[in-house]
Every structure is written in C-alpha cells, then in structure tokens.
C-alpha cells in the first residue's frame, strides 16, 4: 500500500540547511600501517548550501490554476459507491455470462416466519402483575404448588395463596393435571418463574360480585362470626364484613348474635381500603321496599304530626303524607291539620313516590276523594271506600305520569 504523502513546511526566513558532512572512513588497523610518514591532511570541504525556494517552486502552484474546489476534493463518496455498485453489477453480469451462480437477493434467503415468532415468544416475559392466566398443576411441594402457565418456567403458588380460608391438604385440593385459573402477583424472576395466587383472584371476584349486589340494592344473608365493642363481624363471599351496633335490631345484646344469620344491606363497599360495612336495619327497610310499588294502597298509623305533614308508620318503614296531598280542600293551619288526623289514628293512603336509596315514601289521600275537600267533611266514608276508590286513583296517577313524561 502507498504511504500517504508527507508535506514539509519550510519558512522563507529559515536559513538553508547545511549539507551533511562527508563520511570519514574508519582508521586502518595497526597491522596495515606503514613506516611512511602520513600525508598532509586534505582541507575539509566547505558546507554546501541549498538555495532558498519559494511556494511556487515547492508546490507547483502554477499547475493548479483553473481548478475548482470539487476538482481538489476529488469525486463524491456516494458517486464512488454508485460506481462501485455498477462495477459490481457488471462483474456479476459477466459472471452470469461465464456460467457462474447468480447473485442472491434478501428475498431469496430461507426465512421461516413461524420459527421466528416462536423464538420471540420464547424469550418474551410471560405473565404480568395483575394478569389472569390459566394453567395446569404439574407438581406439589410442602410450601406450594407448581403450575404450568405457558412460560419457560412454571409459576409457583405459595400455600398461603392457594385459596380463601385454610387449606390443610394440598394434594387433595390440587391434584396433578388439574386446570386452574390464577392471578399473577409477581412478575418472573431471573429464572423465568412468576408468582401466582388463587386467593388473590378469588378476592377480586368477590369484591366485583359484592359491588354488583350493592348497585342492585340487594339484601344479603350473612353469618355472624365475631363481635367487638363497636358491633359484629360476618363473612360474605369470603370477605370480612362489619355491622355496627347502631345498625343492628338488637344492638344492646350483640354478643348473643354470634353464630346467627342476619339479613343485611350495604352501607359501604370499598375494595381499595377493604371496607365492607353492612346494616341490618337498612335491610329490614329494603325488604319492605321490595314489597311496595307506586299506586299501591297501604294502611298505617299516624306517629308524628308536623307543620308540613304527617308521618305514618307502615309496619317498619315510615311514609310522609304531606299537607298538600291530604285533601283537595284548604288546610291553612296546623290546628286544622290535627282536626283531620290525630296522632295514633289509622288511615289508608296511596303511594305516589318510592326512593329506596334514601328510604322515602310519599303518600296521598287527596286522590281518594270524590270531590275536593270531601275528606274534611266525611273522613270515615272516604276511608271505608278507599279500596274501590284506589282503582280510579291509579288511572289518575298514570295520566299524571304520562303528562310529566
């Protein structure tokens, strides 16, 4: 290979370099010397000076006249690559003509797409935290179960995560070959093994089921399994619930409720804080609401008289008979209201509105009147004929609903 050219920089004011001294021959050995006296030493040659030269003499600048910068830089590298490819193509063409093997493109090489995707799947992490996977039990140890979930290593389920409650016999609960559905609680370690849990999946499903029951306003049956100063504890779908003493029908003797089954409604359901609070009293109200509907004729007892209306006990739940719904006539003062119905009186009324979420029932007796103010004149007649008059009143309610809708 050629060595790169070396450029020597010479300044004009630099003195000329002295020529190298003449090479002096080595002295002859003693055995060669003669007895003749040595000849007179020749005078030393004077140093040879190199005449000074300018830039035109050193670099031949005259030969560069008329050249452009592109000429000085030489051909473009891309053009060189293109010319190289064209020359390679020509060589390949000549090789084809000579009978050699044709050049192969990228598409000509063997490529197995299925094998490539399988290799990617083999090295891809399997099982992310929070993912639900299905697998097959392949082995048991004293501290847990090994489940094949499709990764390069089996998933491991600790004994404490094998389900809700206490499991004493793993071999009986998880025989080999059993298909299970589990939740990934920890992603794979250096060996490719992930940690899985059947208990965590069961808890997630239980919270989802309980939230659905709460949304529907259902009353559930729970078994009391403990108590403390604030109330009693119970079990619902594998979750620990709590009923405060203020929400018990027998809150003064709540210790005696252990082991009994109670109907309860939901007060609070919070999976994030794991709070499940229930109420027996609300369940009683909810059970009564399930037997009530708008347009139904109910009978109750007046338990409280307020300036704005009457509160009527309907057998565990209270309904409000507002003063504007008592009669079509005029009731201006509380004294007149007390003259129509007194505390302890029994009456019949139509249900015009139900709100189970807030426990509200709206009642109406004015719809039972044949003419406005009839209840003020002959209350007993209206109450006696309330059942027959209720059918006509329901058609009025339906008309009012259609006009409002």
């Amino acid at each position: 290979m050629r060595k790169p050219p070396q450029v020597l920089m010479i300044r004009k004011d630099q003195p000329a370099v002295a020529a190298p001294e003449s090479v002096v021959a080595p002295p002859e050995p003693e055995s060669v010397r003669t007895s003749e006296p040595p000849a007179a030493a020749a005078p030393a040659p004077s140093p040879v000076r190199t005449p000074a030269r300018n830039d035109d003499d050193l670099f031949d600048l005259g030969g560069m006249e008329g050249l452009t910068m592109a000429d000085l830089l030489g051909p473009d590298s891309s053009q060189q690559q293109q010319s190289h490819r064209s020359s390679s193509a020509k060589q390949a063409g000549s090789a084809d003509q000579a009978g050699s093997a044709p050049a192969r493109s990228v598409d000509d090489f063997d490529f197995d797409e299925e094998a490539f995707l399988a290799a990617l799947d083999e090295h891809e992490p399997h099982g992310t935290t929070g993912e639900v996977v299905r697998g097959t039990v392949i082995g048991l140890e004293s501290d847990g179960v090994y489940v094949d979930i499709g990764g390069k290593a089996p998933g491991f389920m600790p004994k404490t995560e094998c389900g809700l409650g206490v499991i004493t016999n793993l071999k009986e609960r998880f025989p080999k070959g059993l298909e299970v559905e589990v939740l990934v609680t920890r992603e794979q370690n250096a060996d490719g093994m992930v940690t899985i849990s059947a208990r965590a999946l069961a808890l997630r499903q239980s919270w989802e089921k309980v939230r659905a029951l709460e949304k529907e306003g259902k009353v559930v049956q729970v078994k009391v399994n403990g108590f403390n100063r604030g109330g009693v504890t119970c079990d619902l779908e594998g979750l620990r619930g709590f009923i405060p003493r203020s929400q018990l029908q027998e809150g003064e003797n709540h210790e005696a409720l252990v082991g009994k089954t109670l109907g309860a409604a939901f007060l609070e359901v919070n999976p994030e804080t794991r709070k499940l609070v229930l109420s027996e009293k609300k369940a009683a109200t909810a059970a009564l609401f399930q037997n009530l509907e708008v347009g139904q004729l109910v009978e109750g007892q007046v338990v409280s008289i307020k300036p704005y209306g009457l509160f009527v006990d309907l057998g565990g739940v209270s309904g409000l008979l507002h003063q504007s719904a008592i009669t079509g006539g005029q009731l201006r003062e509380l004294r007149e209201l007390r003259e129509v119905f007194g505390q302890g009186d029994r009456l019949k009324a139509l249900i015009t509105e139900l709100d189970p979420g807030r426990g509200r029932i709206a009642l109406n007796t004015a719809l039972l009147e044949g003419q406005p103010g009839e209840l003020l004149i002959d209350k007993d007649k209206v109450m006696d004929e309330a059942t027959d008059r209720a059918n006509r009143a329901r058609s009025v309610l339906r008309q009012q609903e259609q006009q409002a809708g």
Side-chain angles (χ1 to χ4, degrees):
M1 297 180 60
R2 287 185 177 179
K3 295 183 178 180
Q6 299 180 356
V7 179
L8 178 64
M9 180 177 177
I10 301 178
R11 298 175 59 181
K12 291 183 179 182
D13 55 352
Q14 183 176 359
V17 180
E21 297 181 357
S22 302
V23 179
V24 181
E28 295 181 358
E30 293 292 336
S31 58
V32 183
R33 292 181 181 177
T34 59
S35 58
E36 296 179 357
S46 60
V48 180
R49 295 183 179 272
T50 304
R53 293 182 294 175
N54 55 20
D55 293 343
D56 295 338
D57 297 333
L58 292 175
F59 298 102
D60 191 16
L61 296 179
M64 296 184 182
E65 294 182 359
L67 297 179
T68 64
M69 183 60 68
D71 297 332
L72 294 176
L73 294 177
D76 189 4
S77 59
S78 61
Q79 295 178 357
Q80 292 179 355
Q81 294 177 359
Q82 185 174 2
S83 61
H84 177 70
R85 287 195 295 266
S86 60
S87 62
S88 300
K90 291 180 180 179
Q91 293 177 3
S94 60
D96 292 341
Q97 294 177 0
S100 60
R104 300 176 67 187
S105 63
V106 176
D107 297 334
D108 295 332
F109 287 93
D110 296 333
F111 180 77
D112 191 344
E113 182 178 0
E114 294 183 358
F116 177 71
L117 294 177
L120 289 179
D121 293 338
E122 182 178 355
H123 293 86
E124 182 180 3
H126 190 82
T128 56
T129 302
E131 180 184 0
V132 179
V133 296
R134 295 188 63 87
T136 305
V137 177
I138 58 174
L140 291 91
E141 296 289 345
S142 59
D143 58 344
V145 181
Y146 290 97
V147 181
D148 181 12
I149 58 175
K152 67 178 183 178
F156 179 71
M157 182 165 56
K159 185 177 181 179
T160 56
E161 298 296 325
C162 289
L164 299 175
V166 180
I167 299 178
T168 57
N169 192 334
L170 282 180
K171 187 175 182 180
E172 181 179 349
R173 175 67 178 81
F174 294 96
K176 289 186 178 180
L178 177 68
E179 292 187 359
V180 294
E181 191 174 46
V182 293
L183 182 72
V184 177
T185 57
R186 185 179 301 174
E187 296 183 5
Q188 65 183 23
N189 54 19
D191 298 328
M193 183 179 295
V194 300
T195 304
I196 55 180
S197 171
R199 177 178 178 272
L201 179 60
L203 286 175
R204 175 193 284 187
Q205 294 172 343
S206 296
W207 281 112
E208 292 175 353
K209 185 174 182 179
V210 167
R211 294 189 72 172
L213 292 173
E214 178 201 21
K215 188 175 181 180
E216 296 173 2
K218 296 291 185 180
V219 175
V220 294
Q221 301 296 315
V222 295
K223 186 175 182 179
V224 178
N225 53 21
F227 70 93
N228 53 37
R229 291 189 304 173
V232 297
T233 58
C234 58
D235 180 81
L236 177 62
E237 298 292 337
L239 305 175
R240 182 178 181 272
F242 179 71
I243 305 177
R245 290 180 61 181
S246 60
Q247 298 297 324
L248 291 169
Q249 300 281 17
E250 301 178 7
E252 298 298 327
N253 190 23
H254 65 292
E255 298 92 342
L257 297 176
V258 176
K260 294 184 177 181
T261 301
L262 305 177
F266 298 97
L267 289 181
E268 182 179 0
V269 178
N270 193 331
E272 287 72 21
T273 58
R274 297 183 180 181
K275 290 184 66 175
L276 177 59
V277 185
L278 306 170
S279 171
E280 186 185 15
K281 290 184 177 180
K282 186 178 179 180
T285 303
L288 292 175
F289 269 87
Q290 291 178 355
N291 298 323
L292 300 176
E293 61 181 6
V294 175
Q296 181 179 351
L297 182 67
V298 293
E299 184 177 356
Q301 184 179 18
V302 178
V303 294
S304 179
I305 301 176
K306 301 295 181 180
Y308 50 84
L310 310 175
F311 283 98
V312 183
D313 181 14
L314 302 176
V317 293
S318 295
L320 175 62
L321 179 58
H322 195 269
Q323 64 173 358
S324 62
I326 294 177
T327 179
Q330 296 293 327
L331 285 175
R332 298 180 180 178
E333 297 179 1
L334 180 60
R335 180 180 57 84
E336 295 180 356
L337 181 62
R338 292 181 182 274
E339 291 178 355
V340 181
F341 292 107
Q343 187 168 349
D345 290 349
R346 297 195 66 82
L347 59 81
K348 296 178 182 179
L350 285 173
I351 296 177
T352 56
E353 184 179 351
L354 284 173
D355 189 350
R358 294 188 291 179
R360 294 183 179 181
I361 303 174
L363 302 175
N364 189 300
T365 55
L367 293 173
L368 300 177
E369 293 180 321
Q371 57 184 1
E374 184 183 3
L375 194 65
L376 301 175
I377 302 172
D378 196 350
K379 180 181 65 174
D380 293 338
K381 180 181 180 181
V382 175
M383 292 294 105
D384 292 340
E385 298 177 359
T387 303
D388 296 332
R389 297 188 180 199
N391 295 326
R392 177 180 55 84
R394 293 189 188 97
S395 63
V396 175
L397 281 176
R398 284 194 292 268
Q399 292 177 0
Q400 292 178 352
E401 291 177 356
Q402 292 175 358
Q403 293 175 359

